[in-house]
């Protein structure tokens, strides 16, 4: 039977092409809107009058609306939607178990990083936990012009001319005290929502300074109907007077869902030591506690005042202090007492010898509903987080890290799925990853973490940046847990945010001919083949933890990743001949057949690596004749 030929279309990735941008959220939103309301588009533009008619009474045209607003909100929304031209450079030398780990640690401004992650992790993250700056006027530090995209970040970190940008503390005396904090949070939370799975949750730690604004912000971004609840965490026991009027001992954890109807929080076993101690009896290996059947009630009911037969054949009624004015009743009705007789326990009062009736309350085998108050010692305190870090590093290297105990509690509730992806884009010292690795060891889970941390200066000699502390903690936790029963992946892949590897055309330059010569080889100087490969991987929406394989054909190294969804031939030097191109093409075909990917395969070729157009065209022609589809793109 004659095989159908699949035509291979050559696409050239130009310097300004979307391939080297993060996901265009505006274009995606428009496409979704077009699918729902095609008649609301005229000549490619939205006809808002038509859209209003289609939406009927659900459009609010009034001038006065309920909601949170501040100066700069419109720009903050625009920032969230602006695509990024940044990339993530792989740093194997800073990593642990690079070839096998599924965990990711990224150094960079989390705004740009969240944009870069949009294609690879949209709707895949089970839990986002963040501990953002609390805006106390002391520790809220950010680049002055953080909204200027990747260029601001590069200047801030000293990667481009002009030196590092000034850092500002957001003093409470500032007229934009709350606005500046909201400017920072709004785009990041918007982008984080896109990454959550339908049954995913975001949990945000915060204190009294911004909890009211954060709640309003999350209501707007996630929808008030997706508010799951708020936890109140007791961060310290006792202590000094740290405010002028009230000694504050608590913080909040606000919990929102991508889709509340899809979320089911895990039940918690042994909620607290006090609850555990309460179940002080056991029978057949299962624990229970006793509770008096009689109770005093303000709403006396004669239907609940009846006699119950005791083991010796006598009968007992609810004990009354005043028979003429009864106030005591049974907690159960007659039918339940009859049907659940085995759940009753009779004991004689040690003083009076009279019978007392108790009910058995059994310990739930699947745990209890999570409680909003995290006040037990098992939920951890601030001092626990500090001590954990001291024990790892031998001294204080970071202030106020969240305790592993509290984070493990949140992970048990919100990331009970053993294959959960957990994202923390204000990673700090890496407490979330520490908690996750311990949880995996306890239930043999395969949870993965993605951490993002700004390389903010610490002023120290040993750990110059906070991100250095993050990576060091991950290594130290690995040393601590290695060899423990059930512990799985204790490694991480390290990446650094940077400008894209592909040079972009600068329309402001008048010397077009010179710029054209500079772009003959359009890979930025100093970048490696692996750097370019990971930018292509990100552009195709593949996981940053994807396994990368290499093989050599005709003396040229070829990469395969994503289980065979992406092949790349990106030599920085050399000249591929016609014969070499044939060998590479046959090698890719055979390799692809081994891997058997479930979707179309994309092959990236570096134009300047070929001796001439004939060699490149020959490679493409061979791929075109293969029965499986290939999409070939030039770089």
């Amino acid at each position: 039977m004659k095989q159908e030929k699949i035509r291979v279309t050559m696409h050239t990735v130009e310097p300004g092409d979307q391939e080297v941008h993060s996901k265009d959220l505006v274009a995606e939103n428009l496409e979704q809107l077009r699918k729902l309301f095609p008649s609301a588009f005229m000549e490619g533009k939205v006809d808002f009058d038509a859209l209003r008619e289609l939406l009927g009474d659900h459009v609010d045209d009034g001038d006065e609306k309920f909601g949170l607003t501040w100066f700069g909100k419109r720009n903050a929304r625009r920032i969230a939607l602006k695509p990024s031209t940044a990339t993530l450079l792989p740093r194997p030398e800073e990593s642990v178990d690079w070839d096998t780990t599924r965990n990711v640690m990224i150094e960079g401004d989390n705004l740009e990083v969240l944009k870069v992650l949009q294609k690879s992790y949209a709707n895949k993250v089970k839990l986002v936990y963040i501990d953002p700056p609390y805006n106390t006027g002391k520790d809220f530090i950010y680049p002055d012009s953080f909204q200027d995209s990747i260029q601001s970040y590069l200047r801030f970190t000293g990667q481009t001319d002009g030196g590092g940008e000034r850092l500002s503390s957001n003093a409470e005396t500032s007229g934009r005290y709350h606005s500046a904090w909201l400017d920072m949070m709004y785009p990041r939370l918007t982008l984080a929502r896109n990454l959550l799975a339908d049954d995913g949750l975001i949990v945000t730690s915060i204190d009294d300074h911004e909890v009211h604004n954060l709640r309003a912000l999350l209501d707007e971004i996630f929808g008030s109907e997706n508010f799951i609840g708020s936890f109140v965490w007791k961060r310290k026991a006792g202590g000094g007077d740290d405010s002028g009027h009230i000694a504050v001992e608590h913080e909040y954890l606000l919990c929102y869902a991508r889709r509340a109807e899809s979320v089911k929080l895990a039940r918690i076993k042994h909620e607290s030591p006090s609850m555990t101690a309460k179940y002080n009896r056991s029978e057949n290996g299962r624990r229970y506690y006793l509770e008096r059947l009689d109770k005093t009630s303000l709403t006396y009911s004669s239907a609940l005042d009846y006699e119950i037969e005791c083991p010796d054949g006598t009968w007992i009624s609810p004990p009354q202090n005043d028979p003429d004015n009864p106030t005591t009743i049974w907690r159960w009705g007659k039918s339940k007492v009859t049907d659940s007789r085995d759940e009753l326990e009779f004991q004689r009062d040690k003083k009076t010898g009279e019978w007392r009736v108790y009910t058995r309350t059994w310990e739930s085998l699947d745990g209890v509903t999570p409680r909003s108050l995290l006040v037990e010692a098992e939920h951890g305190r601030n001092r626990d987080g500090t001590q954990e870090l001291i024990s790892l590093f031998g001294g204080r290297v970071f202030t106020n890290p969240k305790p592993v105990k509290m984070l493990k509690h949140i992970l048990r509730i919100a990331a009970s799925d053993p294959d959960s992806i957990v994202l923390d884009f204000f990673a700090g010292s890496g407490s979330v990853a520490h908690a996750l690795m311990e949880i995996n060891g306890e239930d043999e889970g395969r949870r993965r973490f993605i951490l993002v941390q700004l390389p903010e200066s610490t002023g120290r000699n040993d750990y110059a940046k906070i991100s250095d502390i993050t990576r060091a903690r991950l290594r130290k936790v690995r040393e601590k847990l290695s060899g423990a029963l059930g512990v799985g992946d204790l490694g991480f892949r390290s990446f650094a945010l940077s400008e894209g590897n592909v040079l972009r055309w600068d329309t402001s330059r008048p010397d077009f001919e010179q710029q054209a010569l500079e772009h003959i080889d359009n890979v930025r100087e100093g970048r490696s083949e692996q750097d370019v490969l990971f930018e292509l991987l990100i552009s195709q929406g593949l996981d940053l933890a994807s396994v990368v394989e290499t093989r050599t054909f005709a003396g040229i190294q070829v990469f395969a990743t994503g289980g065979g969804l992406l092949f790349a031939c990106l030599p920085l030097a050399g000249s591929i001949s016609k014969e070499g191109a044939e060998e590479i093409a046959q090698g890719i075909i055979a390799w692809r057949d081994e891997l058997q990917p479930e979707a179309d395969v994309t092959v990236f070729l570096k134009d300047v690596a070929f001796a001439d157009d004939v060699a490149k065209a020959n490679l493409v022609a061979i791929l075109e004749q293969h029965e499986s589809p290939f999409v070939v793109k030039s770089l």
Side-chain angles (χ1 to χ4, degrees):
M1 183 175 69
K2 185 178 180 180
Q3 291 181 334
E4 179 185 358
K5 286 188 176 182
I6 308 298
R7 181 162 298 279
V8 179
T9 305
M10 292 293 294
H11 299 269
T12 301
V13 183
E14 299 294 347
D17 196 348
Q18 188 176 349
E19 287 287 349
V20 289
H21 283 74
S22 65
K23 181 186 289 188
D24 189 334
L25 298 177
V26 173
E28 187 175 85
N29 291 339
L30 285 171
E31 183 58 30
Q32 294 299 321
L33 191 62
R34 191 191 306 274
K35 289 178 180 178
L36 292 172
F37 307 107
S39 60
F41 284 78
M42 295 292 292
E43 297 181 349
K45 301 291 185 179
V46 179
D47 184 340
F48 282 100
D49 291 332
L51 186 60
R52 287 188 181 92
E53 291 177 5
L54 291 168
L55 295 174
D57 295 336
H58 294 281
V59 175
D60 184 1
D61 286 328
D63 293 333
E64 296 181 350
K65 296 181 177 67
F66 179 81
L68 179 66
T69 187
W70 70 92
F71 180 78
K73 181 178 181 180
R74 182 176 300 173
N75 190 48
R77 183 184 290 117
R78 188 181 302 116
I79 291 165
L81 297 173
K82 181 181 179 182
S84 174
T85 58
T87 193
L88 301 177
L89 300 181
R91 293 288 184 260
E93 69 281 0
E94 297 176 351
S95 308
V96 174
D97 297 335
W98 172 271
D99 290 331
T100 58
T101 185
R102 302 279 285 163
N103 299 316
V104 172
M105 159 62 195
I106 303 171
E107 178 183 275
D109 172 30
N110 52 21
L111 176 62
E112 292 299 309
V113 172
L114 286 169
K115 292 180 180 181
V116 173
L117 297 180
Q118 293 296 304
K119 287 184 181 179
S120 296
Y121 296 99
N123 303 115
K124 294 181 180 178
V125 175
K126 185 61 180 285
L127 171 65
V128 173
Y129 170 83
I130 56 171
D131 182 19
Y134 280 6
N135 201 16
T136 61
K138 300 176 182 178
D139 58 359
F140 174 30
I141 304 295
Y142 60 96
D144 271 348
S145 53
F146 73 91
Q147 65 268 39
D148 290 342
S149 74
I150 184 65
Q151 290 305 318
S152 174
Y153 166 75
L154 293 171
R155 290 192 300 272
F156 161 57
T157 54
Q159 297 181 54
T160 59
D161 292 340
E165 287 204 353
R166 180 174 63 90
L167 290 177
S168 299
S169 61
N170 192 34
E172 197 161 356
T173 54
S174 167
R176 299 193 70 249
Y177 174 67
H178 293 292
S179 296
W181 190 83
L182 291 167
D183 283 346
M184 186 269 294
M185 292 296 295
Y186 186 94
R188 289 161 170 82
L189 291 173
T190 299
L191 293 165
R193 180 185 178 277
N194 297 335
L195 300 179
L196 279 179
D198 282 348
D199 62 347
L201 293 166
I202 182 169
V203 178
T204 307
S205 286
I206 199 65
D207 68 356
D208 283 316
H209 285 86
E210 295 289 355
V211 64
H212 53 302
N213 287 329
L214 180 59
R215 176 72 187 273
L217 197 61
L218 289 166
D219 276 347
E220 177 174 329
I221 294 171
F222 286 84
S224 58
E225 70 277 10
N226 292 313
F227 174 62
I228 298 299
S230 60
F231 296 98
V232 180
W233 172 54
K234 186 174 182 179
R235 63 184 176 89
K236 65 179 182 179
D241 237 342
D242 54 3
S243 80
H245 307 283
I246 298 173
V248 179
E249 297 182 341
H250 70 280
E251 291 179 9
Y252 307 93
L253 292 97
L254 302 183
C255 182
Y256 280 74
R258 175 70 181 263
R259 289 168 50 108
E261 63 269 25
S262 300
V263 168
K264 185 177 181 181
L265 297 181
R267 294 168 67 84
I268 298 298
K269 295 183 179 180
H270 310 310
E271 175 72 6
S272 67
S274 61
M275 285 292 289
T276 300
K278 191 174 184 179
Y279 295 92
N280 54 4
R281 297 168 179 264
S282 64
E283 184 176 291
N284 297 325
R286 190 177 174 194
R287 303 193 312 164
Y288 67 93
Y289 68 87
L290 296 179
E291 188 175 0
R292 287 274 291 264
L293 181 61
D294 57 281
K295 69 171 184 176
T296 301
S297 175
L298 296 177
T299 55
Y300 173 81
S301 170
S302 59
L304 295 174
D305 186 355
Y306 55 89
E307 290 188 325
I308 297 176
E309 186 178 7
C310 299
D312 62 356
T314 60
W315 295 79
I316 183 175
S317 299
Q320 305 292 346
N321 292 326
D322 183 359
D324 296 327
N325 183 27
T327 58
T328 306
I329 56 176
W330 300 123
R331 290 186 292 107
W332 291 1
K334 285 185 179 181
S335 61
K336 186 171 183 179
V337 166
T338 302
D339 295 340
S340 306
R341 179 81 183 184
D342 291 343
E343 297 302 311
L344 299 181
E345 192 165 314
F346 294 82
Q347 296 182 8
R348 288 191 182 275
D349 188 279
K350 292 181 180 180
K351 292 183 179 180
T352 65
E354 296 178 351
W355 286 106
R356 294 286 180 261
V357 188
Y358 297 84
T359 61
R360 295 181 179 184
T361 300
W362 296 92
E363 185 177 30
S364 173
L365 294 178
D366 62 349
V368 298
T369 302
R371 304 297 191 247
S372 63
L373 294 178
L374 307 183
V375 297
E376 304 291 345
E378 69 177 74
H379 298 132
R381 305 281 185 261
N382 265 350
R383 64 172 178 265
D384 296 323
T386 299
Q387 188 56 48
E388 287 159 359
L389 216 54
I390 290 175
S391 67
L392 286 173
F393 285 84
R396 292 177 180 268
V397 296
F398 190 81
T399 58
N400 297 322
K402 287 293 185 286
V404 168
K405 289 180 181 179
M406 185 271 283
L407 295 172
K408 286 170 70 172
H409 183 79
I410 298 301
L411 288 171
R412 290 190 184 102
I413 293 170
S416 57
D417 183 339
D419 292 305
S420 296
I421 298 178
V422 178
L423 168 65
D424 179 2
F425 53 88
F426 286 101
S429 69
S431 299
V432 165
H434 185 163
L436 182 145
M437 287 190 280
E438 287 197 6
I439 286 277
N440 278 346
E442 293 168 7
D443 64 7
E444 298 186 2
R446 299 168 297 279
R447 298 170 188 84
R448 306 163 49 192
F449 62 77
I450 302 174
L451 304 185
V452 186
Q453 177 55 46
L454 189 74
E456 184 180 328
S457 174
T458 63
R460 301 174 61 97
N461 294 324
D462 47 0
Y463 304 105
K465 302 169 294 185
I466 292 179
S467 47
D468 292 335
I469 296 174
T470 314
R471 286 187 291 266
R473 181 173 189 171
L474 297 180
R475 296 188 192 97
K476 292 177 183 296
V477 172
R478 172 190 171 83
E479 294 172 6
K480 175 185 175 183
L481 298 180
S482 289
L485 186 65
V487 173
D489 186 357
L490 297 176
F492 65 95
R493 280 187 175 181
S494 182
F495 293 86
L497 182 74
S498 187
E499 291 177 298
N501 296 290
V502 179
L503 295 170
R504 290 170 176 79
W505 192 269
D506 185 355
T507 56
S508 65
R509 287 178 55 178
D511 53 339
F512 300 116
E513 292 183 3
Q514 177 61 33
Q515 194 171 179
L517 291 173
E518 294 172 3
H519 281 78
I520 291 175
D521 187 350
N522 60 349
V523 173
R524 195 178 300 276
E525 186 178 355
R527 299 297 168 85
S528 68
E529 293 179 39
Q530 189 178 49
D531 293 339
V532 178
L533 174 68
F534 271 88
E535 181 162 338
L536 298 175
L537 180 149
I538 292 167
S539 75
Q540 297 300 297
L542 298 179
D543 197 308
L544 285 171
S546 296
V547 174
V548 176
E549 299 180 63
T550 59
R551 293 185 183 180
T552 301
F553 306 110
I556 300 296
Q557 182 172 244
V558 177
F559 298 93
T561 188
L565 293 175
L566 187 154
F567 288 87
C569 180
L570 310 166
L572 299 181
S575 181
I576 302 172
S577 65
K578 176 177 176 292
E579 294 73 22
E582 292 178 0
E583 183 178 337
I584 292 170
Q586 295 296 345
I588 290 175
I589 290 171
W591 199 358
R592 183 263 175 217
D593 291 345
E594 286 179 34
L595 296 173
Q596 295 186 343
E598 297 179 355
D600 289 355
V601 176
T602 303
V603 180
F604 282 93
L605 304 174
K606 195 166 184 292
D607 270 341
V608 295
F610 290 86
D612 49 44
D613 289 341
V614 173
K616 179 180 170 183
N618 196 46
L619 188 154
V620 176
I622 296 172
L623 293 177
E624 185 178 19
Q625 295 170 11
H626 192 259
E627 61 181 293
S628 300
F630 284 86
V631 176
V632 181
K633 299 188 178 184
S634 292
L635 186 68

